[in-house]
Amino acid sequence: MVNPGSPCEAFLPAAPPHSNTWAQHYRTNGPLKVPRRLLTLRVGGPLHGSVAHGLACGALLCVSNDSVWNAMAWHGTGYLNERERLRGWWGITTREEWQDYLRDLLACEQHSSVWDFALDLRRTIARDFGGHVDLGYWRQAAANVIRAKSEGSIVVSEDGVTTTDPRPESEVEARVEGVQRLIGRITRYEARMRADGVLDENRYVSSVDAWDLGRASKMARWGLGARFGTLAEAESAVIQAGRAASLSYKSWQDFSAGYILGRCLHFDDEEFGDWYQDMVEAHRILMSDPGSPWLNIPFR
């Protein structure tokens, strides 16, 4: 059966004696293994404009997964496999769940707010001190902010006066230690990305919004392949992802570094294994292939 459960479902003979032919083909060819590469739809796929820009936000995943970066009418790995992808990785089994996840990704709310706190604080320090951020100062500033916010406060609003109690000292210190440990992880990933050519010297990651927006670009298409959404809905979401990326970053390289950092903070645990290496390889392809959307579509 080809594309089972979809509007283009079809059947091919597989019972004996045909089964022997299928088995022989598999023994001879096996699973197709090809080097990681950039795949582009030259006819029928957008190459320029807002849709192409939004699709290019998902290009890291496309190169890593060996899929066409600019295929808007997405079929992916087939109807059942696209459904299984969403169920297995995201727990999505209905149109409503797909819509909820897509909405959160486009709003950059599918990653840790603690990551945002640490990176936003560094960005503020950099703005106040001319760009350079001392690691020790960053760590101490994070501790100061956390402790200050944990002392309790009085809030006056239209509804009256609200008082919050101070948090237990043990809880506060655990938060300080956790954020300072996170800051160490961020700086070590950035150092490795500089060594691997993902980040330029003296540059740092401004935010990990790209981690959500890149996945949003793909989530729109995954939902289309799973028949949870329409082509118009998917295209609208892809355009939104591209616009949001342009507001958060200055270039494709900045976007890529934000995506890679978010992915590694989520999955890699400083092993610098496949979760990191696959993205670095995809980054290099997208920054060097003459047909890459990152070299042919202006980021802003």
Side-chain angles (χ1 to χ4, degrees):
M1 184 183 293
V2 180
N3 291 322
S6 74
C8 50
E9 178 181 277
F11 294 86
L12 295 175
H18 305 287
S19 54
N20 290 331
T21 303
W22 287 106
Q24 177 62 33
H25 175 77
Y26 186 82
R27 284 193 297 269
T28 302
N29 298 283
L32 182 62
K33 294 182 180 180
V34 296
R36 192 158 280 118
R37 58 196 172 157
L38 174 69
L39 296 177
T40 301
L41 191 62
R42 294 294 175 187
V43 177
L47 296 170
H48 302 283
S50 58
V51 175
H53 183 274
L55 291 171
C57 291
L60 281 167
L61 262 179
C62 289
V63 172
S64 179
N65 294 343
D66 199 39
S67 57
V68 178
W69 74 266
N70 65 331
M72 189 66 253
W74 181 260
H75 299 289
T77 55
Y79 171 73
L80 290 184
N81 287 335
E82 291 300 295
R83 287 235 166 183
E84 178 57 29
R85 184 208 302 270
L86 291 179
R87 188 198 66 78
W89 282 94
W90 298 83
I92 295 174
T93 59
T94 66
R95 168 177 166 80
E96 290 71 27
E97 290 170 344
W98 170 72
Q99 289 176 314
D100 288 343
Y101 268 102
L102 184 56
R103 188 180 305 112
D104 286 350
L105 287 169
L106 289 170
C108 300
E109 295 178 353
Q110 270 293 320
H111 64 262
S112 172
S113 60
V114 181
W115 305 351
D116 287 335
F117 166 74
L119 293 171
D120 288 348
L121 178 61
R122 179 173 61 177
R123 194 162 58 245
T124 299
I125 297 171
R127 185 173 60 247
D128 292 344
F129 291 90
H132 175 71
V133 179
D134 177 76
L135 176 58
Y137 187 90
W138 183 17
R139 288 165 57 89
Q140 186 58 51
N144 293 343
V145 172
I146 293 170
R147 290 178 182 134
K149 288 185 175 181
S150 301
E151 293 177 353
S153 62
I154 299 175
V155 179
V156 180
S157 66
E158 295 179 354
D159 299 326
V161 178
T162 303
T163 303
T164 60
D165 296 328
R167 294 186 178 277
E169 184 178 353
S170 59
E171 178 184 328
V172 174
E173 293 310 309
R175 291 188 177 189
V176 169
E177 182 181 351
V179 170
Q180 290 183 334
R181 190 163 54 245
L182 169 65
I183 288 172
R185 292 181 67 202
I186 290 171
T187 56
R188 287 188 290 274
Y189 273 118
E190 289 175 330
R192 179 63 179 270
M193 285 194 281
R194 292 187 194 100
D196 289 334
V198 176
L199 269 176
D200 290 338
E201 195 64 32
N202 298 322
R203 295 286 296 174
Y204 59 83
V205 176
S206 59
S207 84
V208 290
D209 286 355
W211 168 233
D212 280 358
L213 296 173
R215 291 182 297 165
S217 176
K218 291 294 288 183
M219 179 62 74
R221 288 173 272 177
W222 292 333
L224 179 61
R227 300 298 190 271
F228 288 142
T230 66
L231 179 59
E233 288 173 320
E235 186 173 285
S236 174
V238 163
I239 292 173
Q240 289 180 58
R243 287 174 178 167
S246 295
L247 294 175
S248 293
Y249 299 95
K250 296 179 179 179
S251 68
W252 286 115
Q253 184 175 12
D254 289 343
F255 176 88
S256 180
Y259 183 95
I260 294 172
L261 178 61
R263 177 184 172 100
C264 289
L265 290 176
H266 187 83
F267 286 119
D268 185 64
D269 200 26
E270 285 196 88
E271 294 180 359
F272 296 98
D274 291 343
W275 292 110
Y276 174 78
Q277 296 293 345
D278 286 354
M279 288 298 102
V280 171
E281 185 178 356
H283 169 90
R284 289 171 177 163
I285 291 171
L286 286 162
M287 294 299 291
S288 62
D289 190 303
S292 169
W294 289 10
L295 299 181
N296 292 285
I297 299 175
F299 187 73
R300 286 182 165 179

